[in-house]
Amino acid sequence: MILLTLSNISKSFVMNRVLTDVSLTLPQYARMGIVGVNGCGKSTMFQIITGRLQPDEGTVSLMKGTTVGFLTQHADIESDMTVTEELSRVFDDVKRMEARLRELEAEMAEKHADAQEMKRLSDAYARLTARFEDAGGYEWPSRVQGVLAGLGFSEERRQQKASLLSGGEKTRLCLARLLLRQPDLLLLDEPTNHLDLPSIGWLEDTLKKYKGTVMVISHDRYFLNAVCDHMAELRQTHLTQYTGNYDQFAVKREADLERQLKEYNMQQAEIERQEAIIRRYRMYNREKSIKLAESREKRLEKMERLEKPVDDQKVRFHFEARRRSGDDVLIAKDVSKSFGSRTLFRNFAIHLRAGDRVALIGPNGVGKTTLLNIITGSERADTGSFRYGTNVDIGYYDQQQASLHPEKDVMSEVWDDFPTMEPDRVRGTLALFLITGEDVFRPIATLSGGERGRVALAKLMLRKDNFLILDEPTNHLDMDSREVLECALDDFDGTILTVSHDRYFINRVANRIIEMTDEGVTEYTGNYDDYLEKKRQLAENQLVIDAAGKTRTQIDKEKRAERLSRESARALKLRFQQTEKDIAAIEQRLTEIEAEMGRPETWQDRAAAQKLEDERQEKTETLARLYEDWETLAEQMTE
């Protein structure tokens, strides 16, 4: 069943045509990725689908009753509520139903003697309870906390005012709100921006299980491979639709371009042949030959001319080192860094050898960029030592492009760093990065993030350093530019240390992974897929920890049984009786907690409600352990 249809959509802004005759069909429950170069009109298409923009031509058709949720790249949240309270507003209807249920309970308690009134109230209560359960009435607090945890909000951050969040955190909060609302059609514009790798992995799993339909704009090729089963590309104002994930789309697109070019060349050859025949007929200058020429000219005029397929321009460059470094490039030992009372990392060690390609990964805030700043000398470590090898030349790509001078124009920015270069060579270098014509005289301050990134890459290429330190080098680059960067690094014979959230990039570039977490640092050999496989194996090894295949839970239970078996019969009886008392006490407390949580006034104090929920969870876990002990004791007392 088709959920969404776009028919011949066209849109222009003044003289700039963005969309031309765009048509698309989106099946229900599909996950479609939208790709294209920056500024090609992807976000405009989303705004047309949501009705925020009207097309100049064409129609948008949605299945009747479809609800649409739209995540933009920029969120504007100025709420004085806490993050948890802001997100809980999604369930205001559920909370109203719960309040009404409490009212009905009170009415039934008052009018229990009136059979007819009790029947009416009971029926209303049953209907409302069914609606309440269908809407997730019993689980919404845990759903809120689960989404916040999945998107990387710490417990401390959840209790802060939403208005005080950073731009990226506000975008994450908007994403959380959409996922909880579960609209029929979910439109996501660059949802992986501002997410670390664990959060991106959580989002992938969530979208794969999502009950509705998803359209997502993204430059994250690994994400598109994991989530999408349909793809669509906007290229030169036209849209082409494909089935499959990103890798399948890339193969089909290349085949399409080759076929279109072949068809274009064949038509051009036919046009040339017909024009040659027409010229020959006219040379005869006879009435019959002139009529034949005119007839062929009319057929040529009616021919639908194919446009020459033009692949969007790509940056074209390569890295080379002006000299070879020694075998040891960098040796760091016992490096630590703290800000105030907060420790980012401690006892960090790394040994880079010539030709190594190492990717640093880990959650946001763990100190990856700080570590790069320490290595490059812009920050000092609290403890530890660094030693560089012989002939090591460091080239640093800063994701913030702080080394660029906003007041300079592009030409001066490059030329000032390489004053011996001829002006034509400077312009030629910039042309490799698609900065041509009058654009070379634009101030750095007026450039987009992607354009500033290309200027920084141009300067890095010209330096010819043999040790490249790259902080999120694919940020702000479109997919084609990312692929060219990957090819350039493939051919680079120096050493690379990079921080990146782009898993596709890490797969192409890295041969070692260093994972930084709050617990410490772990190193893995191989690329990102190898890292995932080793993490999976480690998880399995923790689950199955002995040759007999027993789990940790089973072994813990057996150890408790062995300990209990050594006790005397009298001690067993006393332990059994005490366990029964403990079970009764905890069950009584759980009943009290559930009664408290069932009262509306409990939820007026969020902190108190959360404290109750934490206690309920703790008591439930303790009760489960006591029941296990009770069963073991009962078995031993009967032996």
Side-chain angles (χ1 to χ4, degrees):
M1 189 176 295
I2 302 302
L3 182 81
L4 169 69
T5 303
L6 304 184
S7 301
N8 305 115
I9 298 292
S10 295
K11 182 67 179 178
S12 299
F13 295 99
V14 192
M15 299 300 292
N16 181 28
R17 173 61 67 94
V18 178
L19 304 174
T20 303
D21 291 330
V22 166
S23 295
L24 175 145
T25 55
L26 180 66
Q28 193 173 18
Y29 307 123
R31 280 99 173 91
M32 177 177 283
I34 309 295
V35 298
V37 299
N38 293 333
C40 70
K42 303 184 294 293
S43 297
T44 299
M45 186 174 77
F46 270 20
Q47 290 179 342
I48 288 173
I49 292 172
T50 61
R52 299 184 181 195
L53 282 178
Q54 293 301 313
D56 299 334
E57 299 174 16
T59 58
V60 177
S61 301
L62 270 172
M63 185 188 297
K64 188 175 180 181
T66 298
T67 55
V68 180
F70 181 26
L71 175 75
T72 64
Q73 293 188 48
H74 306 287
D76 185 16
I77 296 177
E78 299 301 332
S79 173
D80 285 332
M81 294 183 176
T82 67
V83 169
T84 301
E85 290 169 344
E86 177 67 26
L87 203 53
S88 298
R89 291 173 59 192
V90 171
F91 297 98
D92 281 350
D93 288 343
V94 176
K95 287 183 273 187
R96 281 191 285 270
M97 280 190 271
E98 185 175 19
R100 179 55 185 154
L101 284 173
R102 302 292 85 80
E103 291 173 1
L104 287 171
E105 289 168 358
E107 289 180 41
M108 287 189 289
E110 279 183 22
K111 302 182 179 180
H112 63 276
D114 187 335
Q116 185 175 353
E117 185 65 10
M118 275 296 294
K119 176 70 168 59
R120 183 187 69 80
L121 290 172
S122 297
D123 290 345
Y125 188 84
R127 289 192 299 270
L128 186 57
T129 299
R131 285 176 52 208
F132 180 72
E133 291 175 350
D134 289 342
Y138 295 117
E139 63 190 33
W140 71 262
S142 60
R143 283 182 60 196
V144 167
Q145 297 303 322
V147 169
L148 286 172
L151 291 175
F153 284 95
S154 66
E155 289 286 349
E156 179 185 0
R157 213 65 174 146
R158 296 176 207 179
Q159 303 311 316
Q160 292 185 348
K161 286 186 178 181
S163 58
L164 300 179
L165 297 178
S166 67
E169 288 173 324
K170 288 180 179 179
T171 301
R172 279 191 279 151
L173 184 58
C174 288
L175 175 58
R177 191 162 52 194
L178 278 179
L179 292 173
L180 288 172
R181 283 177 177 163
Q182 295 190 324
D184 301 320
L185 175 58
L186 193 57
L187 302 177
L188 305 176
D189 194 349
E190 297 288 1
T192 61
N193 284 2
H194 315 294
L195 296 184
D196 55 24
L197 290 178
S199 297
I200 293 173
W202 178 88
L203 180 60
E204 287 172 352
D205 291 339
T206 300
L207 292 180
K208 283 187 281 190
K209 299 172 187 173
Y210 191 72
K211 296 178 181 178
T213 307
V214 178
M215 289 182 76
V216 55
I217 296 170
S218 181
H219 287 136
D220 188 331
R221 296 156 293 173
Y222 204 100
F223 174 83
L224 293 172
N225 269 340
V227 171
C228 296
D229 51 26
H230 289 69
M231 295 291 300
E233 181 186 33
L234 269 171
R235 183 180 291 269
Q236 297 176 343
T237 77
H238 295 279
L239 183 135
T240 309
Q241 189 170 339
Y242 300 85
T243 57
N245 63 12
Y246 177 81
D247 281 347
Q248 293 164 334
F249 146 76
V251 172
K252 292 176 182 177
R253 178 184 66 168
E254 194 63 32
D256 274 357
L257 286 171
E258 290 179 5
R259 175 184 52 78
Q260 291 166 11
L261 185 59
K262 184 177 180 181
E263 290 173 354
Y264 173 80
N265 289 334
M266 289 175 62
Q267 188 184 67
Q268 290 300 305
E270 177 61 17
I271 290 171
E272 289 179 10
R273 189 178 74 85
Q274 292 294 333
E275 288 175 343
I277 293 172
I278 291 169
R279 286 194 298 271
R280 191 161 60 249
Y281 279 153
R282 288 197 175 278
M283 284 174 59
Y284 297 148
N285 200 24
R286 298 174 185 168
E287 184 178 350
K288 183 178 180 181
S289 62
I290 289 174
K291 286 183 178 179
L292 287 171
E294 290 173 347
S295 175
R296 286 180 180 266
E297 283 175 339
K298 288 179 181 177
R299 286 204 297 272
L300 270 183
E301 289 172 1
K302 292 178 181 179
M303 178 186 290
E304 185 176 348
R305 302 291 180 103
L306 299 176
E307 291 184 14
K308 184 176 182 179
V310 179
D311 203 355
D312 287 325
Q313 284 186 303
K314 298 180 182 179
V315 293
R316 293 173 175 83
F317 63 95
H318 66 280
F319 292 107
E320 61 179 288
R322 63 180 176 273
R323 61 177 178 173
R324 178 174 174 79
S325 69
D327 288 339
D328 289 330
V329 173
L330 170 65
I331 299 174
K333 295 179 181 178
D334 301 322
V335 180
S336 65
K337 183 65 179 179
S338 299
F339 290 100
S341 61
R342 185 188 175 206
T343 299
L344 284 182
F345 50 83
R346 60 167 61 91
N347 301 326
F348 181 87
I350 189 172
H351 186 178
L352 289 181
R353 297 175 177 85
D356 276 348
R357 294 155 175 266
V358 176
L360 281 174
I361 65 173
N364 291 338
V366 78
K368 303 184 297 295
T369 296
T370 301
L371 179 63
L372 294 191
N373 290 336
I374 291 172
I375 292 173
T376 56
S378 58
E379 286 195 37
R380 293 176 61 87
D382 296 336
T383 65
S385 62
F386 288 93
R387 183 169 65 83
Y388 294 99
T390 57
N391 297 330
V392 171
D393 304 313
I394 298 175
Y396 181 37
Y397 179 91
D398 173 15
Q399 66 167 315
Q400 305 298 332
Q401 284 102 43
S403 62
L404 300 182
H405 302 83
E407 72 283 357
K408 290 185 180 181
D409 60 47
V410 176
M411 185 80 175
S412 299
E413 177 67 38
V414 177
W415 204 1
D416 287 352
D417 279 14
F418 303 94
T420 60
M421 287 179 63
E422 295 294 328
D424 287 346
R425 191 183 165 205
V426 175
R427 297 194 67 149
T429 299
L430 290 170
L432 295 176
F433 293 83
L434 307 184
I435 302 172
T436 58
E438 293 302 311
D439 284 347
V440 302
F441 300 113
R442 287 176 58 192
I444 296 293
T446 66
L447 301 182
S448 67
E451 289 168 331
R452 287 196 299 272
R454 295 205 300 271
V455 173
L457 284 173
K459 293 174 65 175
L460 189 63
M461 181 193 78
L462 289 171
R463 286 175 56 89
K464 298 186 178 181
D465 296 312
N466 53 33
F467 179 25
L468 299 183
I469 299 177
L470 311 173
D471 189 7
E472 297 290 359
T474 60
N475 277 9
H476 308 298
L477 296 183
D478 58 44
M479 287 180 177
D480 288 341
S481 297
R482 293 180 186 202
E483 289 175 1
V484 174
L485 174 61
E486 289 159 2
C487 291
L489 293 174
D490 278 343
D491 296 334
F492 179 58
D493 58 3
T495 306
I496 299 171
L497 176 63
T498 181
V499 167
S500 180
H501 287 133
D502 187 335
R503 295 159 296 170
Y504 206 97
F505 171 81
I506 296 171
N507 257 356
R508 285 283 302 272
V509 171
N511 57 24
R512 284 165 61 195
I513 305 286
I514 294 179
E515 182 181 30
M516 298 177 66
T517 67
D518 292 334
E519 286 74 38
V521 175
T522 309
E523 187 168 327
Y524 303 84
T525 302
N527 63 10
Y528 189 79
D529 284 343
D530 297 325
Y531 153 80
L532 287 181
E533 177 60 22
K534 286 167 185 171
K535 292 276 282 187
R536 184 188 64 78
Q537 291 174 359
L538 285 171
E540 287 181 355
N541 291 340
Q542 288 178 348
L543 183 65
V544 180
I545 60 175
D546 71 349
K550 295 177 182 177
T551 65
R552 190 176 298 278
T553 302
Q554 290 172 321
I555 290 176
D556 288 345
K557 187 174 180 179
E558 288 177 3
K559 286 180 178 178
R560 283 200 303 272
E562 289 172 3
R563 186 184 71 251
L564 292 170
S565 69
R566 293 193 293 268
E567 298 182 8
S568 66
R570 177 174 173 77
L572 279 175
K573 185 177 179 180
L574 291 173
R575 182 73 173 273
F576 182 81
Q577 291 172 343
Q578 184 60 47
T579 301
E580 284 188 322
K581 290 179 182 178
D582 291 343
I583 288 173
I586 289 179
E587 286 180 338
Q588 175 62 31
R589 179 54 186 155
L590 281 172
T591 301
E592 294 170 358
I593 291 173
E594 288 171 0
E596 288 182 56
M597 294 181 73
R599 288 196 289 269
E601 56 268 23
T602 299
W603 297 97
Q604 293 174 4
D605 185 342
R606 299 292 176 185
Q610 184 61 50
K611 187 176 179 181
L612 276 176
E613 172 60 23
D614 292 342
E615 185 183 356
R616 186 192 67 80
Q617 187 172 347
E618 180 202 348
K619 296 293 185 187
T620 301
E621 292 171 357
T622 303
L623 187 62
R625 290 195 300 272
L626 285 172
Y627 270 122
E628 288 180 5
D629 286 349
W630 184 89
E631 290 173 4
T632 303
L633 287 164
E635 289 171 4
Q636 292 188 5
M637 289 176 67
T638 58
E639 290 178 356

